Amino acid sequence: MAQEQQQPNELLQIRRQKMEALREKGIEPYGNKFEAEYYSLEINEEFDRLEGKEVTVAGRLISIRSHGKASFAHLQDYRGQIQIYLRQDQLGPEKYEILDLFDIGDFIGVRGEVFRTRKGEITVEVIDFTYLAKALRPLPEKWHGLKDIELRYRQRYVDLIVNQEVKETFIKRSRMISTMRELLNEWGFLEVETPIMQTVAGGALARPFVTHHNALDIKLYLRIATELHLKRLLVGGLDKVYEIGRIFRNEGISTIHNPEFTSVEIYQNYADYEDMMRITENLIYQIAVKVLGSGKLVFQGKELDLTPPWPRESMIESVRKYSGVDFSALADDQAAFEAARKAGLELDKGLSWGDILYMFFEEFCEEQLLTPVFITGFPVEVSPLAKKMESDPRLAIRFEAFIAGWEIANAFTELNDPIDQRERFEQQISKREAGDDEAHVMDEDFIHALEYGMPPAGGLGIGIDRMVMLLTDNISIRDVILFPTLKPKLLSD
RNA sequence: GGGCCAUUAGCUCAGUCGGUAGAGCACCUGACUUUUAAUCAGGGUGUCCCAGGUUCGAGCCCUGGAUGGCUCACCA
């Protein structure tokens, strides 16, 4: 009994036996290069031209219907599926016998003649076939596919084989990112790469991952933003730069947070946040048009129109609209505190007018912001890298773009006064000393850079994963990241 | 971290009151030369997530744990 339990699963054993039987017949189950002239989709689309002609095509067997001395099967490749027809008369008895060793999941390459069956399906009648790879594990069932969410994430390769809409999502993701690059390059931006491992992790309010460099014997942090290095490049005279890349934050996991995610940050010298608004709405709109074919999309059953220009609303207006509290009429921290108490918000003491305004916004407004909108006028306290408004120094020249209740983009007119920047860092440090381990750390080299003079500039960051979620109608970030972060778990047969 | 839910065959899922573990697909044996959820005849392939406990007896009840999902908290 104990011995029997150590045997591999019967299904796996049978496939291994078939693999050995192939070798006994002199057929290598793991073949070499195969020249497939067509994708399955092309044979279907170009049938009029290809009918009666010989073609080669390769793919994975996803169904087999044997009728004795003739069989039908479907091959799936990167671009669709095509039926193949195998006949003993055509192949000869010896070759046809090999069909007994076919399994769903195997990769084969075929050469054959294109025709249409009685029932009208475009099909390749196989003249010869080559084994490319034997599948030793069975695929999930053809109707229900793979639904188990955990298996889908842990074994994304299987998910991609059997769930075509998953494959589509990731192809779209790739096209969205390449379209973004094309647009930015076209607009004169220079793509750059800055350090992922940093001795100081700044540019955002977040906890970093820590690692260690052995030879230097120093702590290194994985970046939590690309901001501070990109702005150093503005000092260096690179007028328009961007970086698309992975960001790492050592924080909780949720349907909208993965520990590693992808952002784009874009900076332009001599510009301001109004320029960044135009870039934001045009980037996202044009990506939608080019990849999805329309600037209007349906997200979770609701229609969203991404056509620029997007409306603007100040945070104070938004808070007034959704909570009824008018912060422009609240003179000081004490008045704001009272308003929060009346609204039932639980607050720590010592919070400022700006902190409380921001709490109101998060509490009452964010999830209401479904159609695209730029929220402007963020409190300076939560915007330590943005320039202050001249008209109201409690507010920063900053906006966030919201769609479907999610923050999609964050941008500001960059703070380029090194004295002010140092003060902002110092405020952050006192927050950190008070126990906020997500506050910014001092970055002396960044201040040093600003002291050489950074021109006025606009800067913008877009969360690419959330943008892809929005554009592909997915409500979990794990559905737009090929291999989302999961706790490790041993595979078992 | 808290709450709720889930975990049974390769996959998708049933499993009643605590009494020998079920279905469809996949798979295996056989028939079948234009099928397509092919069809027909036959076959159940299992660490019921793990470890304890209660019980004459546990997939089911209890305790603890694991993983995942949702949610709250947290979080640019």
Side-chain angles (χ1 to χ4, degrees):
Chain A
M1 198 61 191
Q3 272 183 340
E4 275 176 22
Q5 284 181 0
Q6 286 171 9
Q7 296 291 322
N9 176 298
E10 187 199 351
L11 295 172
L12 304 187
Q13 276 188 47
I14 288 165
R15 284 175 179 244
R16 276 185 167 71
Q17 286 160 10
K18 287 181 175 176
M19 179 187 70
E20 282 155 19
L22 283 171
R23 287 218 164 95
E24 279 162 23
K25 285 177 182 285
I27 293 164
E28 171 51 46
Y30 297 98
N32 288 310
K33 175 175 168 136
F34 181 84
E35 296 273 1
E37 300 161 334
Y38 294 96
Y39 278 121
S40 58
L41 182 78
E42 296 169 326
I43 297 172
N44 281 297
E45 282 180 349
E46 298 173 35
F47 175 74
D48 291 343
R49 184 168 71 77
L50 294 174
E51 184 173 17
K53 297 222 167 69
E54 231 177 85
V55 297
T56 54
V57 62
R60 190 189 286 278
L61 283 164
I62 52 161
S63 67
I64 303 171
R65 295 174 293 284
S66 171
H67 298 260
K69 294 184 179 61
S71 298
F72 289 90
H74 273 95
L75 280 187
Q76 175 173 293
D77 63 15
Y78 175 62
R79 301 186 65 192
Q81 301 172 358
I82 184 132
Q83 180 166 261
I84 59 172
Y85 177 49
L86 304 106
R87 245 181 348 131
Q88 195 181 62
D89 290 353
Q90 178 69 262
L91 291 166
E94 209 171 298
K95 191 101 190 178
Y96 190 79
E97 232 178 44
I98 296 167
L99 266 66
D100 290 340
L101 303 174
F102 277 13
D103 274 309
I104 288 174
D106 294 357
F107 273 98
I108 59 168
V110 308
R111 179 170 60 84
E113 191 174 300
V114 178
F115 77 110
R116 197 190 280 274
T117 63
R118 263 183 225 157
K119 297 282 175 68
E121 179 159 354
I122 292 164
T123 303
V124 175
E125 178 169 0
V126 177
I127 296 165
D128 195 15
F129 63 83
T130 309
Y131 242 90
L132 300 177
K134 183 83 191 142
L136 297 180
R137 293 182 181 276
L139 289 176
E141 191 230 342
K142 58 185 168 185
W143 278 116
H144 302 91
L146 183 64
K147 286 191 171 166
D148 184 302
I149 289 177
E150 188 176 351
L151 280 182
R152 287 187 43 228
Y153 296 153
R154 286 191 195 280
Q155 301 183 42
R156 183 69 90 181
Y157 36 92
V158 180
D159 193 25
L160 287 166
I161 293 166
V162 300
N163 293 323
Q164 293 311 296
E165 68 284 1
V166 172
K167 184 161 83 178
E168 286 304 315
T169 294
F170 288 105
I171 292 171
K172 281 179 190 163
R173 176 181 172 123
S174 176
R175 291 191 178 142
M176 285 167 189
I177 293 171
S178 56
T179 301
M180 178 178 279
R181 275 205 172 83
E182 284 161 21
L183 289 166
L184 289 170
N185 292 343
E186 198 178 296
W187 296 341
F189 286 86
L190 184 74
E191 182 170 15
V192 296
E193 293 172 280
T194 63
I196 290 173
M197 294 192 291
Q198 307 178 337
T199 52
V200 178
L205 306 170
R207 270 190 294 261
F209 286 91
V210 191
T211 186
H212 182 260
H213 189 280
N214 289 339
L216 297 178
D217 192 25
I218 52 169
K219 264 190 188 178
L220 286 174
Y221 302 90
L222 301 189
R223 68 183 176 194
I224 56 174
T226 47
E227 173 147 1
L228 299 184
H229 282 89
L230 293 175
K231 285 200 278 201
R232 284 172 170 90
L233 299 178
L234 298 185
V235 171
L238 302 182
D239 276 347
K240 298 166 87 171
V241 296
Y242 73 98
E243 178 164 9
I244 293 173
R246 206 67 62 82
I247 303 294
F248 307 86
R249 294 187 184 172
N250 202 343
E251 286 166 356
I253 295 177
S254 78
T255 49
I256 50 171
H257 298 88
N258 196 62
E260 52 178 313
F261 62 99
T262 303
S263 79
V264 59
E265 286 192 35
I266 301 164
Y267 292 85
Q268 181 173 1
N269 268 347
Y270 318 119
D272 65 9
Y273 85 148
E274 303 240 356
D275 297 297
M276 297 301 115
M277 285 185 200
R278 283 188 281 277
I279 290 175
T280 303
E281 61 198 8
N282 280 296
L283 255 190
I284 292 177
Y285 172 73
Q286 292 201 39
I287 287 168
V289 169
K290 289 192 179 171
V291 178
L292 307 175
S294 169
K296 289 181 186 164
L297 60 104
V298 176
F299 182 78
Q300 300 299 300
K302 289 178 199 117
E303 263 202 44
L304 296 177
D305 187 352
L306 302 174
T307 309
W310 297 352
R312 304 174 187 191
E313 183 166 85
S314 76
M315 185 174 289
I316 288 176
E317 282 165 24
S318 186
V319 166
R320 184 167 51 208
K321 191 193 289 184
Y322 294 109
S323 77
V325 177
D326 183 359
F327 270 72
S328 65
L330 301 175
D332 53 21
D333 297 350
Q334 186 55 39
F337 193 90
E338 277 303 308
R341 208 181 44 76
K342 274 189 210 158
L345 292 184
E346 286 182 27
L347 306 181
D348 296 332
K349 285 195 173 170
L351 289 176
S352 65
W353 179 89
D355 289 326
I356 297 167
L357 169 62
Y358 190 60
M359 286 180 69
F360 266 80
F361 177 70
E362 289 185 314
E363 182 69 24
F364 296 104
C365 306
E366 284 194 0
E367 63 182 24
Q368 310 284 342
L369 305 174
L370 302 179
T371 55
V373 60
F374 292 119
I375 297 295
T376 62
F378 277 62
V380 164
E381 293 91 324
V382 297
S383 315
L385 301 166
K387 190 170 271 193
K388 289 172 189 165
M389 283 183 184
E390 279 175 31
S391 58
D392 185 348
R394 295 179 299 183
L395 298 176
I397 310 173
R398 171 182 176 187
F399 73 80
E400 286 186 353
F402 283 84
I403 309 176
W406 292 336
E407 173 204 332
I408 295 290
N410 177 26
F412 23 94
T413 296
E414 300 296 338
L415 175 56
N416 64 338
D417 174 344
I419 309 296
D420 190 355
Q421 183 65 74
R422 179 178 291 281
E423 283 169 11
R424 304 280 193 96
F425 275 144
E426 278 163 0
Q427 284 163 13
Q428 289 292 315
I429 286 162
S430 53
K431 278 194 179 180
R432 178 168 280 270
E433 281 163 358
D436 182 356
D437 52 3
E438 277 142 18
H440 281 244
V441 291
M442 176 63 76
D443 187 336
E444 286 291 350
D445 182 75
F446 177 64
I447 302 279
H448 191 87
L450 290 187
E451 286 171 355
Y452 279 97
M454 183 181 90
L460 163 66
I462 297 175
I464 288 186
D465 307 275
R466 288 192 197 167
M467 183 191 80
V468 174
M469 288 165 71
L470 183 76
L471 297 180
T472 58
D473 198 10
N474 281 112
I475 53 167
S476 172
I477 198 168
R478 298 180 199 94
D479 292 322
V480 300
I481 292 177
L482 280 165
F483 299 99
T485 306
L486 297 175
K487 280 200 189 183
K489 194 176 183 183
L490 284 178
L491 287 175
S492 66
D493 287 333

